Amino acid sequence: DSDNNDYTVQINLGNFFANLPQNPKQSWLPTYTVDTTAHGSILWRWQAQDYASFTFPDPTFGGLFPGMTNETLKRIMHIDEAFAWKFSVSMNDDNGLLNSGSSLKLLINGTTYLPKPMSYNYFSPSWKDFYFLVPNNNNQTVQIIAIINGADVPLQFSGLVPVVRLKSNDYGSVNVTQAPQNITAQYVQTHIEINLQRYSYYKMERAVNTGTFAPVDSFYNSSYTDYNVAGKTTYKYRASLGQGSYWGGYYATRQNNYTNTVSITTP
């Protein structure tokens, strides 16, 4: 099945021939309708439109499969994949700090969804791929959480937040890189230079004297220069990391992913 579980299925042909119903389609198959198009094509439509309500009236098929249950039969037939919202997402860490146990999980309407096994097992300390099947909770918003070194790390989507849409596919990217915690600042003649240690996308915030932090700029660089400074004034700086846009899918980063705060007083 979609979790790579194997099943042992018992088959009893004698039961099948001894219990053959007059209308096998009605007795064995989930409810459906049949229509034709103007060109004569046959349209077969299952009435059930979600995994939970898609059930077989007799999952044993008249005893052909003794002991068979709806859940086992649906899992073997990959009915969850047919109805599910499929979400493929990659997680990366620019510092190469991922380990083999790093993972993601989805929280949707109070239900936790774990990733499905992948057909390949590629892993690097900088990149890891995941695949989710969500067979229910249609039209519910998605919360995503990283699991790093055994601890939950809340994430936030930048821009649009994904919504479950059954029988559809979406993809996204998760950047769990932690903001640098060793940024420094210095006053040079008429301006203040902040060394952010490495290139990334930052949103710079500044506080003046005893004021609160307020956004001042967004940029991609490893440093920031503030020319709008006055003498004998204390400035505090901090930057959040990874809030850039991601074209073609959903993009998430750590919540409250700030650098350390640096303080400097101009002469």
Side-chain angles (χ1 to χ4, degrees):
D1 63 10
S2 59
D3 290 312
N4 286 347
N5 296 313
D6 290 324
Y7 296 85
T8 298
V9 178
Q10 183 180 357
I11 300 175
N12 190 319
L13 290 176
N15 286 344
F16 176 77
F17 290 108
N19 297 290
L20 190 66
Q22 289 186 345
N23 189 335
K25 293 181 290 186
Q26 185 179 50
S27 299
W28 293 343
L29 298 181
T31 54
Y32 64 91
T33 60
V34 176
D35 296 317
T36 57
T37 67
H39 302 288
S41 299
I42 296 176
L43 300 177
W44 182 303
R45 296 187 177 93
W46 299 112
Q47 290 188 345
Q49 290 300 304
D50 60 74
Y51 177 77
S53 59
F54 188 91
T55 57
F56 294 85
D58 178 13
T60 72
F61 282 50
L64 174 64
F65 306 117
M68 179 64 70
T69 66
N70 254 294
E71 183 63 23
T72 299
L73 183 59
K74 291 197 294 183
R75 295 301 301 275
I76 291 174
M77 297 180 68
H78 291 247
I79 301 299
D80 53 340
E81 293 187 39
F83 281 105
W85 175 62
K86 304 175 183 67
F87 187 46
S88 301
V89 57
S90 298
M91 178 169 64
N92 71 286
D93 187 321
D94 295 338
N95 292 325
L97 298 179
L98 296 179
N99 56 42
S100 58
S102 301
S103 187
L104 295 172
K105 61 183 178 181
L106 305 181
L107 184 62
I108 306 171
N109 195 28
T111 301
T112 299
Y113 298 87
L114 300 177
K116 297 294 183 179
M118 305 281 288
S119 58
Y120 56 94
N121 193 26
Y122 173 76
F123 162 73
S124 80
S126 298
W127 197 273
K128 197 173 185 182
D129 293 320
F130 300 92
Y131 176 63
F132 293 90
L133 289 176
V134 180
N136 44 30
N137 282 314
N138 196 32
N139 297 320
Q140 297 295 316
T141 57
V142 178
Q143 179 182 353
I144 189 165
I145 299 170
I147 305 172
I148 301 175
N149 296 323
D152 286 1
V153 178
L155 306 174
Q156 60 187 10
F157 286 100
S158 177
L160 293 177
V161 175
V163 174
V164 175
R165 297 178 298 168
L166 296 181
K167 294 190 288 186
S168 69
N169 299 271
D170 280 310
Y171 60 95
S173 178
V174 169
N175 189 335
V176 296
T177 308
Q178 191 165 7
Q181 299 301 306
N182 54 348
I183 71 170
T184 58
Q186 62 176 342
Y187 180 77
V188 180
Q189 295 179 347
T190 60
H191 56 271
I192 295 175
E193 296 178 355
I194 297 95
N195 182 2
L196 296 162
Q197 304 302 326
R198 61 181 175 80
Y199 278 90
S200 191
Y201 182 92
Y202 296 97
K203 285 187 176 180
M204 181 62 68
E205 296 182 3
R206 185 182 76 168
V208 182
N209 291 325
T210 59
T212 58
F213 280 103
V216 291
D217 202 358
S218 299
F219 57 95
Y220 185 89
N221 210 324
S222 62
S223 63
Y224 176 75
T225 302
D226 188 359
Y227 294 98
N228 186 24
V229 297
K232 303 186 185 311
T233 305
T234 298
Y235 295 94
K236 295 180 181 179
Y237 298 90
R238 69 179 185 184
S240 59
L241 177 66
Q243 299 299 308
S245 62
Y246 176 74
W247 296 102
Y250 298 98
Y251 185 63
T253 57
R254 291 174 180 253
Q255 289 184 7
N256 301 317
N257 193 15
Y258 284 100
T259 65
N260 59 298
T261 298
V262 290
S263 178
I264 187 168
T265 301
T266 56

